[in-house]
Amino acid sequence: MTVLQPLADRYAWWLRRPAPQDTSDEDPAEVRAMPIVLRIEKALPPSRTALLEAAAAAAIAVCLDPRAASDEGEWHAEVSAWIDGRIRKVARRARGAHWDAVQALPGVTVRVGDAEARALLPWKVAETPYEVRRLQITGSDLPADSPGPVPAGAPVLWLNPDVPMTAGKAAAQVGHATMLLAALLPAAELATWQAAGFPCAVRTPEPADWKLLVPGDDPAGAWQSRGVVAVRDAGFTEVAPGTVTVVAQRAS
């Protein structure tokens, strides 16, 4: 069983057969979250799309890093415990010396164009290191940009055009999306994507196109015929519970 198997069992139970796992009785002291640190320098902030693409790649890179994916890996226990619960993520912004400080913590940094994001090992929230706790969660928004055509062979993470999200919130959501996508892909396809560094494209469709992308009442059919899977938010911040924030689409 891969480290992502519990994720597929819970969020894509229609492919895996088991009933969805109920995590409503989680002990608050045991709640874990993956910090995603977004590098947003004051003088030269990155483009929003590139930053989201870096965050999306970094999140899945931590999960499938040999240190996490292998049963004997030094990160395996922490990542497995996190995936067994809700896959919470908290995005924070950093610059200068604060960005440099988080590079010493266990995680993976990904650079896309002018943007950098680092996904860290998912700790218990109460045990989050000081270098992370001192970083701001708010103030992570960036203006919309025009990223251009989707690169050939890249999966697309479609943001809900009807649900405004800060860059920090969107970073967490696209991180969820790459994890779900990786959990469902055939092994050979996943290995190819991993070898390339998990490139992906984050785009916002027109509202009419969004309606065609959302899986609706047949998630299994949507995955099998169109290669799409939806991220539904738990509703802790910014959006209502059950909102589809992102639709991940398998590379064509």
Side-chain angles (χ1 to χ4, degrees):
M1 184 175 74
T2 71
V3 71
L4 293 174
Q5 185 67 52
L7 185 68
D9 291 344
R10 189 164 67 255
Y11 291 91
W13 51 269
W14 33 266
L15 286 181
R16 304 292 180 178
R17 303 293 192 275
Q21 178 182 346
D22 180 8
T23 57
S24 61
D25 60 348
E26 285 180 310
D27 180 351
E30 298 298 315
V31 169
R32 297 170 181 267
M34 170 186 277
I36 299 180
V37 184
L38 309 175
R39 185 176 188 180
I40 304 178
E41 298 289 345
K42 190 172 183 179
L44 292 171
S47 60
R48 191 177 198 270
T49 296
L51 188 62
L52 296 181
E53 291 172 351
I60 187 57
V62 167
C63 297
L64 295 183
D65 186 287
R67 290 167 289 186
S70 169
D71 291 347
E72 290 77 34
E74 60 190 281
W75 295 357
H76 184 77
E78 296 284 357
V79 172
S80 293
W82 173 58
I83 290 175
D84 282 343
R86 292 187 184 275
I87 53 170
R88 295 178 177 90
K89 296 183 179 70
V90 178
R92 298 174 184 264
R93 61 182 174 89
R95 61 175 180 256
H98 286 183
W99 170 255
D100 294 338
V102 299
Q103 302 307 303
L105 298 174
V108 176
T109 296
V110 172
R111 183 179 182 91
V112 175
D114 64 349
E116 286 183 287
R118 183 171 181 80
L120 300 174
L121 201 61
W123 294 284
K124 293 179 182 179
V125 172
E127 298 173 359
T128 302
Y130 169 73
E131 293 90 339
V132 177
R133 286 189 284 108
R134 69 180 177 180
L135 302 178
Q136 294 293 317
I137 296 176
T138 59
S140 64
D141 210 8
L142 294 165
D145 56 348
S146 301
V150 173
V156 187
L157 313 178
W158 299 102
L159 298 175
N160 188 333
D162 300 318
V163 178
M165 291 183 282
T166 63
K169 178 68 173 180
Q173 299 304 296
V174 296
H176 295 344
T178 50
M179 289 178 62
L180 284 174
L181 195 60
L184 301 183
L185 288 176
E189 189 173 340
L190 177 58
T192 298
W193 190 31
Q194 182 172 11
F198 302 108
C200 56
V202 174
R203 297 292 186 270
T204 303
E206 293 297 323
D209 294 329
W210 171 256
K211 292 177 181 178
L212 299 175
L213 285 165
V214 176
D217 296 330
D218 183 19
W223 173 254
Q224 291 160 0
S225 64
R226 296 186 283 124
V228 295
V229 61
V231 175
R232 292 185 180 273
D233 193 67
F236 294 119
T237 61
E238 294 192 29
V239 304
T243 300
V244 176
T245 53
V246 183
V247 169
Q249 186 172 35
R250 185 179 182 179
S252 56

